[in-house]
Amino acid sequence: MKSTVIEVRTGSRERVHDITKECAGFARECGGDGLLHVFVPHATAGVALLELGSGSDDDLLAALDDLLPADDRWRHAHGSRGHGRSHVMPALIPPYATVPVLGGRLALGTWQSVALVDLNVDNPDRRVRLSFLTD
């Protein structure tokens, strides 16, 4: 297995951050066929495979806001208002995804991208572990 960590700055707002380029670059460096496992070791972030740049980013954030409002209902209440929802989000958008790699290229669908989803406005810096698995 080969592994690396990338640093992602999500800033101080909710964000769907495209990490496809970094994932593709790592897969290319590793070469061959295998699986790219993408993992974010944070309790308040997730990894999603979805179309980006066509409004889907904002649609996802709006859907999460509907499902997990940033209000005072959350028992996990430290940090900014509604912070507890960030700790619930990984149950809906898991902190990992696995993508097939063929000949050093991500085998994503035409409109699929790899994205880090982060609702936690209190933590602007994230780490994402990329692991390439072969047989």
Side-chain angles (χ1 to χ4, degrees):
M1 177 178 88
K2 297 177 184 176
S3 188
T4 191
V5 173
I6 62 172
E7 305 285 333
V8 178
R9 182 144 182 89
T10 56
S12 60
R13 63 181 175 86
E14 297 172 0
R15 185 132 185 237
V16 177
H17 184 83
D18 189 354
I19 58 171
T20 309
K21 181 179 174 184
E22 293 87 343
C23 292
F26 180 65
R28 191 171 37 259
E29 286 174 22
C30 293
D33 298 344
L35 296 173
L36 176 67
H37 187 72
V38 182
F39 176 72
V40 56
H42 298 282
T44 58
V47 177
L49 301 178
L50 74 160
E51 180 179 4
L52 296 174
S54 63
S56 299
D57 326 39
D58 292 332
D59 289 342
L60 177 57
L61 291 175
L64 289 171
D65 193 47
D66 288 344
L67 289 169
L68 306 169
D71 58 22
D72 295 324
R73 74 182 68 199
W74 307 100
R75 291 185 188 111
H76 187 112
H78 73 82
S80 60
R81 186 170 190 256
H83 178 75
R85 75 191 194 119
S86 297
H87 287 274
V88 173
M89 188 204 65
L92 302 173
I93 299 176
Y96 59 86
T98 302
V99 179
V101 176
L102 302 171
R105 297 183 65 191
L106 299 178
L108 292 169
T110 301
W111 303 111
Q112 283 182 315
S113 295
V114 184
L116 171 67
V117 181
D118 189 1
L119 299 182
N120 185 353
V121 299
D122 297 328
N123 187 356
D125 298 303
R126 298 299 186 162
R127 297 168 43 100
V128 180
R129 176 158 303 277
L130 306 178
S131 300
F132 186 72
L133 306 153
T134 59
D135 58 356

